[in-house]
Amino acid sequence: MMVSKKSSITLQKTLITSVGCSTIALLDADTFIVGTIKHQHPVRTVTVQGQEGDIRHKLLPDKKYRRHESSCTYVPCTNTVVFSDRDQHTVYMCEITSGDGRVIKSDKIRKPRRICAGPAGTVFVCSGDTHCMV
């Protein structure tokens, strides 16, 4: 969708997916990274042509998540998918080219709700139980 300076909204394109999506981030000019709802792969790709694919990484949980149980984003400068599991109080950072990654657990991150790619490869996590951004 496009919003003009006068707040007029124009629908550009609609992509119908085979699974529910809870979060979306831009991977490149033609592809999105999406967090799924009730799908065996919690992170997938969707192209602007509507083609879908799975993001598979050794660290990503093999679990179906309901709405608001997880979140994901993509950090372009590090080629990293970042995924959070609310109930496990965990953030997964998965470099998708090399296969490297990290699992982050911290007392500051309790029930992570949403995550956001920041400047210079940083990641911000909204921590629900601690009422802060980490």
Side-chain angles (χ1 to χ4, degrees):
M1 119 177 95
M2 188 172 97
V3 181
S4 73
K5 291 180 181 180
K6 294 183 179 186
S7 297
S8 173
I9 298 173
T10 305
L11 180 62
Q12 298 292 314
K13 185 171 187 170
T14 301
L15 296 172
I16 307 298
T17 60
S18 64
V19 297
C21 301
S22 61
T23 56
I24 185 169
L26 190 62
L27 174 66
D28 58 36
D30 297 322
T31 309
F32 300 100
I33 298 280
V34 296
T36 65
I37 301 169
K38 296 182 182 176
H39 189 267
Q40 65 265 22
H41 300 290
V43 181
R44 302 195 82 207
T45 59
V46 178
T47 68
V48 294
Q49 293 82 23
Q51 297 171 321
E52 299 179 34
D54 295 322
I55 296 281
R56 295 178 190 229
H57 192 280
K58 61 187 174 191
L59 294 181
L60 287 175
D62 190 23
K63 174 182 172 183
K64 293 181 181 182
Y65 290 87
R66 293 179 299 185
R67 187 178 307 276
H68 306 298
E69 288 183 336
S70 66
S71 182
C72 76
T73 193
Y74 177 70
V75 183
C77 66
T78 60
N79 201 27
T80 301
V81 170
V82 184
F83 180 81
S84 67
D85 183 317
R86 183 191 67 191
D87 296 333
Q88 295 299 313
H89 313 289
T90 305
V91 174
Y92 302 88
M93 299 186 77
C94 306
E95 205 285 320
I96 57 176
T97 303
S98 71
D100 292 339
R102 297 178 296 290
V103 177
I104 295 123
K105 285 184 168 267
S106 167
D107 289 339
K108 294 179 182 179
I109 300 173
R110 305 299 298 166
K111 296 218 180 274
R113 299 204 183 276
R114 294 289 178 247
I115 49 184
C116 173
T122 59
V123 175
F124 293 90
V125 179
C126 293
S127 180
D129 277 2
T130 61
H131 305 286
C132 66
M133 295 187 317
V134 179

